Amino acid sequence: MAKSNEEPLRILCIHGYRQSGQAFRERTGAFRKIVKKQADLVFINAPNIVPPFENAEGDSVNAADQRGWWFSREDDYFLAKERSDCCKGYEESLEVIKTAFEEQGPFDGVLGFSQGGSMVSLLCGLREQNPDSPFKFDFAILVASFQSRSSQHDILYSKPITLPTLHVFGDTDKVIQKEMSEELLPHFVNPITLQHPGGHFIPASGPQKKVYLEFLKDMMARKISS
């Protein structure tokens, strides 16, 4: 999609719950260093402000610029494992992402982490089911992702997703257990998986570096040949 085959791939990055685009960027320094020659990463903010929470002493923890892509309850609460008929804030998030595609795109791919990874799975479903979708991209990277438990999202998993995807998840992730990420895999055709021994983060050591670079090399080859 880029203007020249010599240009790096452009990837839209979707942060996790209680993060922001800037916070996500700061936490991906090692990953950004690995892919800096292959990919231009663009970070955006979710529109929904997450209410602050209290610590053990009852003090309110600073929630400045902590955001989410949707809530699983009407009282602005989100729990990844919770089956719910609610997805408050989801439509607003779609509008924000649509605007990013229009104003900062085109994008070759999308990358999402945690709730952002789940959001990317929904974007993949929208893209698969509607060829005229405004969310036009050719691959996705989903880190610590999971299938949305919102009943309103069920339809987006009803058709196999055919675009190339890389799914990254950790053996010791206490936030999104690897089983939740594995449950998402059957909805994708020929997904590539990268399982690492760590927790809830984007791994960036030697073994992972090789997988990232090979995947992006393949995506660039597809782009040039298309």
Side-chain angles (χ1 to χ4, degrees):
M1 291 183 183
K3 295 179 181 178
S4 165
N5 290 338
E6 301 302 319
E7 293 183 355
L9 298 164
R10 284 179 55 77
I11 301 177
L12 179 65
C13 299
I14 310 295
H15 63 76
Y17 192 69
R18 287 197 182 276
Q19 283 188 338
S20 65
Q22 181 60 30
F24 188 34
R25 185 182 189 281
E26 292 172 356
R27 294 185 183 186
T28 57
F31 175 78
R32 286 188 287 110
K33 184 176 181 180
I34 288 174
V35 304
K36 64 181 181 180
K37 293 183 179 179
Q38 287 76 24
D40 178 16
L41 307 182
V42 177
F43 296 81
I44 61 172
N45 286 325
N48 306 297
I49 302 297
V50 177
F53 61 89
E54 293 185 348
N55 61 20
E57 287 72 40
D59 299 321
S60 180
V61 176
N62 183 11
D65 219 23
Q66 294 187 16
R67 298 166 178 266
W69 298 99
W70 76 91
F71 300 110
S72 57
R73 298 181 188 175
E74 291 294 341
D75 60 354
D76 296 353
Y77 182 86
F78 178 76
L79 185 63
K81 296 181 179 180
E82 182 175 61
R83 183 66 181 171
S84 172
D85 292 329
C86 176
C87 58
K88 183 180 179 181
Y90 169 70
E91 293 296 335
E92 291 82 354
S93 290
L94 286 183
E95 286 301 314
V96 166
I97 297 172
K98 178 182 177 182
T99 298
F101 271 85
E102 293 172 346
E103 297 182 355
Q104 301 182 66
F107 294 107
D108 299 293
V110 291
L111 178 154
F113 173 73
S114 197
Q115 191 195 46
S118 186
M119 188 72 187
V120 168
S121 76
L122 300 175
L123 294 176
C124 289
L126 287 166
R127 173 195 175 281
E128 190 71 41
Q129 296 186 18
N130 180 12
D132 297 321
S133 165
F135 310 109
K136 299 185 183 303
F137 54 95
D138 299 322
F139 65 87
I141 301 174
L142 303 92
V143 184
S145 185
F146 55 92
Q147 180 174 339
S148 169
R149 282 2 186 215
S150 171
S151 60
Q152 297 184 51
H153 295 155
D154 288 348
I155 186 66
L156 297 178
Y157 298 105
S158 63
K159 183 177 181 181
I161 296 169
T162 59
L163 87 165
T165 52
L166 172 62
H167 300 252
V168 184
F169 47 91
D171 291 333
T172 56
D173 193 329
K174 304 298 185 189
V175 180
I176 303 299
Q177 290 81 4
K178 69 174 183 177
E179 290 79 12
M180 293 179 67
S181 293
E182 290 172 333
E183 288 172 2
L184 187 61
L185 297 177
H187 297 290
F188 293 82
V189 176
N190 298 323
I192 297 173
T193 61
L194 171 55
Q195 188 170 339
H196 63 95
H200 198 62
F201 57 85
I202 299 182
S205 62
Q208 293 94 45
K209 177 179 179 179
K210 180 180 180 182
V211 176
Y212 295 140
L213 294 181
E214 287 183 353
F215 181 77
L216 294 175
K217 180 181 178 181
D218 289 345
M219 296 306 100
M220 180 60 79
R222 284 171 174 261
K223 174 180 173 179
I224 292 175
S225 64
S226 62

